[in-house]
């Protein structure tokens, strides 16, 4: 069997070349080494740009282009794969490519004469994609003359256009680990840190875990999955024009403001300085405006939007009532987003919008949110026209309102340019019992998992207070579990202060699963709470929370 390995390195991040693994090797170095261990390997081809100062091992060829599109990639693989029994394709920043798993895939691929094979159920980065010699050429014709950039799922994305025409084989993990949303590739500071932690936890002296070790590492060392924050919901304005029945903020912040006069707003200069600190700490991140309050009421709102869009490491999400925006603001925002540089790593567009409407009926709207239905609906339609792929209308699903939600869905499916892809039906949040329970259904996982929000989010209140999570409403009045102040403490200190809370979740998750020990952080004891009919009691308001399984970015 003659096997060609094709590694894509066209737009790798600097993290791919950092020598953080045993022996001072980088993820790029290890990827080159690992593919040489694939059964039947005879040659490696790297598709990329310039790699100044790097030396490649024997039987390695470099194919260079200043810019790669999905069609360029498929045509190159098609040309290179002629005369080989099969080609293995992977990104060149995946240091844990597993020869054993790849060998099992190859056996299945050749036995059944597959055109394309992939692995499913493991974290991304353990397995390549396998292609028969003629497959890439067929895919290039299907792709046509598109200018799509190369992404992690580019090959499968083209296959999906005519998936029934291909013979596909899948190597499936005995345990489905996809719910952990792990990417074992050096494409960000966050994932590079994850890679080094997996390397340290590996059972081999080489520091390279195999696919078979993934379940054990995740199960025994869940605390290593909390790397760096990716989602920063930031409060930019104290006032809000509405008093929504589904939101606890009006009761905590006072009556809704009719205007912005005399209220408090985030200073643009402080915001810009904070953004620079975020990029230095997290590398890339999603900024959400506004955590509480309404961004449209901020007298310098466009400065805040511009500040985020000027930083290609960041993506901006604006959550709004749709009240208070001028058409000129929205048009300026669209021009800024169109002129923003492509994101360095974040797969999100530079600017996305979510308009909270909750209903398509004006009378019902007044009951839920108050006045402003016509203005909010008009704003949503304007945004859908300006951002057809990146604007969304949102409704909270509550018990007893299924007919209203269906009407909302049908109404906006017809009006939105992308149909149902522009609609978000949001789960109801009672904020750990602060609001009346109105959940339409129980969608919690059977086994409780560690909280996504403590793992990935860093919320910031207007005065700089960083609560443990958005649910920690006591922080709005100076109480609750607080990690620090963003304008007084370093991000490292603040983020580290949350480790103990995440470790507590790991402890209680282990107890719920019946584990007798927890191989977590040193010094974390199993304490607080007691086992009850509904499982272990988590500390503080976490015991009443059903947001732990919801995932932002």
């Amino acid at each position: 069997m003659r096997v060609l390995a094709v590694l894509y390195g066209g737009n790798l991040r600097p993290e791919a070349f950092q020598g953080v693994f045993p022996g001072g090797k980088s993820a790029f170095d290890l990827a080159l080494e690992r593919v040489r261990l694939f059964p039947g390997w005879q040659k490696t081809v790297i598709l990329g740009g310039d790699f100044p100062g790097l030396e490649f091992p024997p039987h390695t060829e470099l194919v260079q282009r200043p810019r790669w599109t999905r069609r360029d990639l498929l045509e190159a693989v098609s040309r290179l794969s002629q005369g080989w029994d099969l080609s293995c394709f992977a990104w060149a920043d995946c240091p844990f490519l597993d020869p054993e798993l790849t060998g099992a895939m190859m056996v299945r691929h050749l036995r059944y004469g597959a055109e394309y094979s992939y692995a499913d159920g493991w974290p991304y980065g353990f397995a390549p994609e396998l292609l028969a010699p003629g497959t890439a050429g067929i895919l290039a014709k299907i792709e046509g003359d598109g200018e799509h950039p190369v992404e992690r799922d580019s090959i499968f994305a083209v296959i999906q256009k005519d998936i029934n025409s291909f013979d596909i084989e899948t190597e499936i993990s005995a345990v489905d680990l996809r719910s952990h949303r792990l990417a074992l590739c050096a494409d960000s500071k966050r994932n590079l840190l994850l890679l080094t932690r997996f390397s340290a936890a590996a059972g081999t002296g080489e520091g390279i875990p195999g696919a078979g070790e993934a379940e054990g590492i995740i199960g025994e060392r869940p605390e290593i999955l909390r790397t760096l924050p990716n989602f920063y919901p930031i409060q930019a304005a104290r006032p809000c024009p509405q008093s929504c029945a589904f939101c606890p903020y009006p009761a905590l912040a006072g009556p809704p403001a009719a205007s912005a006069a005399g209220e408090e707003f985030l200073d643009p200069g402080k915001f810009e300085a904070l953004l620079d600190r975020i990029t230095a700490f997290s590398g890339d991140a999603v900024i959400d405006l506004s955590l509480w309050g309404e961004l449209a009421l901020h007298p310098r709102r466009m400065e805040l939007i511009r500040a985020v869009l000027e930083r290609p490491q960041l993506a901006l999400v604006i959550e709004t009532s749709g009240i208070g925006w001028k058409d000129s603001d929205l048009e300026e925002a669209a021009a800024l987003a169109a002129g923003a540089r492509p994101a360095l790593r974040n797969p999100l567009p530079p600017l996305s919008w979510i308009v909270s409407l909750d209903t398509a009926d004006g009378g019902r709207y007044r009951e839920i949110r108050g006045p402003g239905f016509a203005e909010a609906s008009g704003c949503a339609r304007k945004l859908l026209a300006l951002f057809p792929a990146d604007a969304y209308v949102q409704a909270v699903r509550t018990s007893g309102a299924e007919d209203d939600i269906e009407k909302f869905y049908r109404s906006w499916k017809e009006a939105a340019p992308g149909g149902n892809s522009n609609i978000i039906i949001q789960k109801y949040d009672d904020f750990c019992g602060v609001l009346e329970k109105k959940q339409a259904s129980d969608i919690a996982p059977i086994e409780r998992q560690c909280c996504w929000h403590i793992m990935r989010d860093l919320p910031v209140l207007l005065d700089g207070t960083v609560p443990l999570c958005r649910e920690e409403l006591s922080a709005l009045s100076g109480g609750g579990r607080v990690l620090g102040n963003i304008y007084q403490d370093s991000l490292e200190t603040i983020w580290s202060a949350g480790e103990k809370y995440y470790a507590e979740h790991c402890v209680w998750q282990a107890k719920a699963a019946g584990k007798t020990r927890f191989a977590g952080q040193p010094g974390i004891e199993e304490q607080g709470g007691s086992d009850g009919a509904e499982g272990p009691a988590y500390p503080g308001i976490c015991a009443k929370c059903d947001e732990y399984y919801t995932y932002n970015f």
Side-chain angles (χ1 to χ4, degrees), residues 124-149:
Y124 172 83
F126 278 123
E129 298 168 272
L130 308 185
L131 296 99
T135 303
I138 297 171
L139 294 175
K141 293 179 181 177
I142 293 175
E143 172 68 2
D145 297 326
E147 289 293 311
H148 296 97

Side-chain angles (χ1 to χ4, degrees), residues 1 45 53 88-89 180 187 325 362 376 410 467 481-482 487 544:
M1 178 174 61
V45 177
C88 300
F89 175 80
H180 297 283
D187 66 342
W325 294 99
R410 292 183 182 278
R481 292 173 292 180
V482 170
Y487 303 120
K544 299 179 180 180

Side-chain angles (χ1 to χ4, degrees), residues 63-83:
V63 177
Q64 294 178 296
R65 290 182 66 96
R67 175 178 175 271
W68 289 85
T69 65
R70 204 156 67 182
R71 179 181 175 86
D72 296 331
L73 171 70
L74 292 168
E75 289 179 340
V77 175
S78 174
R79 182 178 67 256
L80 293 164
S81 62
Q82 299 306 310

Side-chain angles (χ1 to χ4, degrees), residues 175 177 180 182 198 201 213-225 450 506-507 509-511 513 515 517-520:
V175 178
L177 301 174
H180 297 283
L182 301 179
F198 259 76
E213 290 184 80
E215 180 191 0
I217 292 173
I218 293 169
E220 293 298 321
R221 299 290 307 280
E223 79 282 0
I224 71 174
L225 306 186
C450 297
C506 294
V507 169
Q509 181 191 38
K511 287 170 68 72
K515 296 179 181 178
R517 68 180 183 87
F518 171 67

Side-chain angles (χ1 to χ4, degrees), residues 357-368 370 373 377 404 407-408 411-412:
L357 296 174
D358 294 322
T359 180
D361 178 79
R364 173 68 173 159
Y365 184 92
R366 179 175 289 275
E367 292 176 13
I368 298 173
F373 178 69
S377 299
D404 193 54
K407 180 180 178 182
F408 176 87
S411 172
W412 283 102

Side-chain angles (χ1 to χ4, degrees), residues 52 82 118 120 147 153 167 222 277 397 429 440 516 523-524 549:
Q82 299 306 310
Y118 68 103
D120 197 18
E147 289 293 311
D153 64 345
D167 291 320
R277 292 170 58 202
R397 182 187 176 205
D429 180 9
T516 57
I524 296 297
Y549 56 87

